[in-house]
Amino acid sequence: MSGGFDLRDEPWIPVRLLTGESVRLGLRQLFMQAHEIEDLELPVPPAAAGLMRILAAITARVAVDGDDRLDDPDIAGNVDDWLGLRLRALRADRFDPEVVDRYFDKDVPSGRFDLFDVERPFLQDRRLRTECVDPKGAPNPSGVNKLVMGRPTGINGAVLFGHFTDTAPVPVPAAEAAWHLIAQLYFGPSGQCTPRRITEDRTGSGDAAPLRKSVSYFPWGRDLFTSLILAVPRPQGEELGEDEDVCPWEGEPLDPLKPLTSMTWPGRMLTGRFRHAVLLVPSSDGRQVTDAYITWSTHAPPPVVRDPYQILDRRKDGEFQPREADGARALWRDLDALLLKDDRQDARRPPVFGALPRTLLPTLRVRAYGFDQDGQQKDSVWFASTTPRVLTWLEENDGEMAHHIKRCHGSAEEVGDRLDFAAKVAWKIATDRNVDPSPKAKAKFDRRKPGPWASAALTRFWPKAETEFWQLTKPERRTDQPLEPFVHAALSALDEAIGPSSRADIRVARARHRARSMLLALLSPKAG
């Protein structure tokens, strides 16, 4: 190999500047110009979710006021002191170039940000070249298609974003390989993987990555500098270890056969929970990745730590779990869980949304990155979404509006559930001549044969509901009762799903009438 790929200075992170220009920057320039950057433009949302955690960990090292750093555990021990330091760091309006250079050139050992470094490639394990071998001892890589999310692997892999095969793998540019490296470490699958021979056993299964099938939420400022400072989580009082806090590129490689090092704040909790090990195989000139090893990194029990960017939902057993990503669910339906305090609902908002600077709230949006997956191998769809400037409605800043948002969302969900049920009943009435279509007859439908109307109606309803929702958030409507506009949106969606009434037969007409009556019943006094 004639050269490496140094992520400090190679242009690999797509961003949009405040001028509107789209460029790619290395890590150094990203921090140097963070105050000039409007947004990240990384086209792989799971990679962006992981990258934001990496950037937040680095931000904690380079955001300073004098000799005080945001990752100082002594300052973080007092919440007011830490919040004061964060406010002073924000007022600087940019990262100190000398501190940024010192971190990348002196604080971190040489080569640690090189994607293809011989000894310590960035976020990789060079030991895989000799440990991922076949029974005869020959190298047994996983293939570049296994690295790139969205490419099919194996015989039955689904084609999502291009036609690729394992028999003729297409190399991936080094910059894009870095994106997918990050995505694999944060969102990789569980189950069978390339075997890794460390002891006499050749184990070939692993655990799911720490963010698998999840969605992450970040406060989003008017420039990347603000977004990064606000992405640094403050300690939440968890049982964190007292060891030195190191990120993978700062410390020594972990022993895959030993217990995990205790969680520390903020670096290890953001970048030290990986369950996969990866090694990229570069082309001769170091500009592409031609192959990759992907396997397990540890079988030790995963650390129990609160991710600062996830909503937790209460399960039926009373415990909480991260809200799962749903590609069909719009971000506004999560808004009340982000605005309301934890002690008033069955959802806990991400800790990073607590104690945001009050003066910035009118300028802050919410950015979400999610990956709709199952727990093992199936990847459905990834997404990124951004709200308008909504964080001025945090409960501690505007309680009346926060609870109005909750009522609006609750009403939309109630109407959506009723629409789903009514459309299924309507299909049963329209297609089964043995069903009594009269309004007082008990409504039933076959759950195994729900018909197409419910899915079609909901597909049309939720975009209409979103339009109504944002209308209801206008200041003059904060005291409105939100149920009626959602019911009318549902009636419109139902009619569109069933089709024109002028071309319907008598049973379809009766089915439509029955379903509409079920929706309108929500507006009657008895419905409450």
Side-chain angles (χ1 to χ4, degrees):
M1 186 180 73
S2 61
F5 193 88
D6 194 331
L7 297 177
R8 294 176 302 177
D9 300 308
E10 292 280 0
W12 67 283
I13 304 175
V15 300
R16 183 175 67 253
L17 303 179
L18 290 170
T19 61
E21 180 185 4
S22 293
V23 298
R24 286 191 182 188
L25 302 175
L27 286 168
R28 188 194 309 272
Q29 282 305 117
L30 183 138
F31 280 92
M32 293 285 194
Q33 296 180 238
H35 57 292
E36 301 173 354
I37 297 171
E38 182 179 356
D39 208 346
L40 292 176
E41 291 191 322
L42 220 165
V44 183
L51 178 62
M52 278 299 297
R53 287 165 168 81
I54 293 169
L55 296 179
I58 297 175
T59 298
R61 311 296 200 225
V62 301
V64 302
D65 178 60
D67 294 329
D68 296 332
R69 299 192 335 187
L70 271 186
D71 65 345
D72 188 325
D74 293 330
I75 295 175
N78 183 296
V79 172
D80 291 337
D81 289 348
W82 190 86
L83 293 177
L85 173 57
R86 183 181 68 176
L87 193 59
R88 295 194 299 277
L90 282 166
R91 286 173 179 163
D93 289 329
R94 63 172 300 169
F95 294 109
D96 186 332
E98 292 186 4
V99 176
V100 172
D101 277 336
R102 182 170 67 241
Y103 178 77
F104 285 115
D105 295 334
K106 296 181 180 179
D107 295 349
V108 177
S110 176
R112 298 290 178 87
F113 286 104
D114 193 327
L115 203 60
F116 305 131
D117 186 71
V118 175
E119 294 296 323
R120 290 295 306 278
F122 181 70
L123 292 182
Q124 298 162 71
D125 191 334
R126 70 180 180 91
R127 297 171 293 192
L128 301 190
R129 191 179 294 275
T130 57
E131 293 175 354
C132 291
V133 294
D134 65 20
K136 296 182 179 180
N140 183 33
S142 310
V144 70
N145 287 350
K146 186 70 172 177
L147 170 72
V148 180
M149 289 191 167
R151 284 190 184 182
T153 57
I155 298 174
N156 297 317
V159 177
L160 297 181
F161 302 111
H163 291 274
F164 306 92
T165 66
D166 287 342
T167 56
V170 178
V172 60
E176 297 179 21
W179 308 344
H180 291 282
L181 165 66
I182 293 170
Q184 288 287 348
L185 292 174
Y186 281 99
F187 288 88
S190 63
Q192 185 177 358
C193 62
T194 298
R196 182 177 189 181
R197 187 191 296 275
I198 299 179
T199 62
E200 293 183 357
D201 295 326
R202 188 166 166 266
T203 306
S205 65
D207 301 328
L211 302 186
R212 182 138 187 111
K213 66 179 183 178
S214 73
V215 56
S216 302
Y217 307 86
F218 300 90
W220 214 251
R222 54 196 161 198
D223 55 45
L224 186 61
F225 169 78
T226 303
S227 300
L228 291 180
I229 294 288
L230 297 183
V232 179
R234 60 189 176 94
Q236 297 297 305
E238 300 104 332
E239 294 296 324
L240 298 177
E242 297 182 357
D243 298 332
E244 180 186 6
D245 180 59
V246 293
C247 299
W249 57 88
E250 297 170 339
E252 296 306 309
L254 299 179
D255 187 329
L257 299 180
K258 290 185 177 180
L260 293 177
T261 306
S262 61
M263 283 293 100
T264 54
W265 169 88
R268 191 169 281 134
M269 67 178 290
L270 296 180
T271 64
R273 297 187 287 141
F274 303 141
R275 311 296 293 179
H276 293 74
V278 181
L279 179 63
L280 305 179
V281 179
S283 59
S284 59
D285 61 359
R287 310 314 295 175
Q288 293 182 313
V289 168
T290 59
D291 210 338
Y293 297 83
I294 304 175
T295 186
W296 56 272
S297 65
T298 178
H299 289 125
V304 178
V305 64
R306 176 75 159 96
D307 188 281
Y309 314 110
Q310 293 179 340
I311 294 173
L312 297 185
D313 289 320
R314 192 188 301 274
R315 301 194 305 250
K316 292 182 179 179
D317 63 3
E319 297 299 317
F320 286 85
Q321 69 178 23
R323 178 164 295 182
E324 295 186 3
D326 181 350
R329 182 184 175 92
L331 179 53
W332 67 270
R333 296 170 67 185
D334 294 337
L335 194 53
D336 53 345
L338 299 171
L339 298 177
L340 292 169
K341 296 178 182 178
D342 294 343
D343 57 357
R344 297 203 176 184
Q345 55 180 0
D346 287 334
R348 292 181 175 173
R349 71 182 177 191
V352 75
F353 286 85
L356 292 172
R358 190 175 295 269
T359 56
L360 288 181
L361 292 181
T363 70
L364 297 181
R365 300 162 289 162
V366 176
R367 168 66 52 81
Y369 294 113
F371 200 175
D372 190 335
Q373 308 168 285
D374 70 4
Q376 293 186 314
Q377 298 285 337
K378 181 181 178 182
D379 296 338
S380 297
V381 63
W382 58 52
F383 57 88
S385 185
T386 310
T387 69
R389 295 168 180 153
V390 296
L391 290 186
T392 190
W393 301 333
L394 284 169
E395 183 179 1
E396 50 265 60
N397 191 58
D398 190 342
E400 181 185 25
M401 193 63 182
H403 286 278
H404 175 60
I405 295 295
K406 182 179 181 180
R407 287 194 302 272
C408 292
H409 175 222
S411 295
E413 296 290 345
E414 181 183 6
V415 174
D417 290 342
R418 180 66 64 90
L419 174 61
D420 180 56
F421 179 70
K424 291 173 180 175
V425 170
W427 176 256
K428 182 69 172 176
I429 292 173
T431 58
D432 189 343
R433 295 185 177 277
N434 297 318
V435 174
D436 183 356
S438 60
K440 294 184 179 180
K442 189 173 183 180
K444 293 182 179 180
F445 64 89
D446 188 343
R447 296 186 182 277
R448 295 171 300 177
K449 300 177 181 179
W453 288 349
S455 176
L458 289 173
T459 298
R460 291 164 172 80
F461 169 71
W462 285 115
K464 296 176 187 292
E466 180 170 8
T467 299
E468 296 295 343
F469 173 82
W470 291 117
Q471 289 296 318
L472 286 163
T473 62
K474 293 180 178 180
E476 64 272 18
R477 299 190 64 181
R478 63 170 57 204
T479 59
D480 284 10
Q481 294 301 314
L483 197 58
E484 184 172 352
F486 292 121
V487 169
H488 288 302
L491 291 170
S492 175
L494 177 71
D495 286 341
E496 291 175 16
I498 294 176
S501 58
S502 60
R503 289 158 48 186
D505 63 25
I506 187 63
R507 294 198 65 84
V508 172
R510 288 175 176 171
R512 185 198 306 271
H513 178 73
R514 180 68 183 279
R516 288 177 63 87
S517 297
M518 294 172 70
L519 288 166
L520 289 169
L522 289 172
L523 300 180
S524 67
K526 293 181 180 179

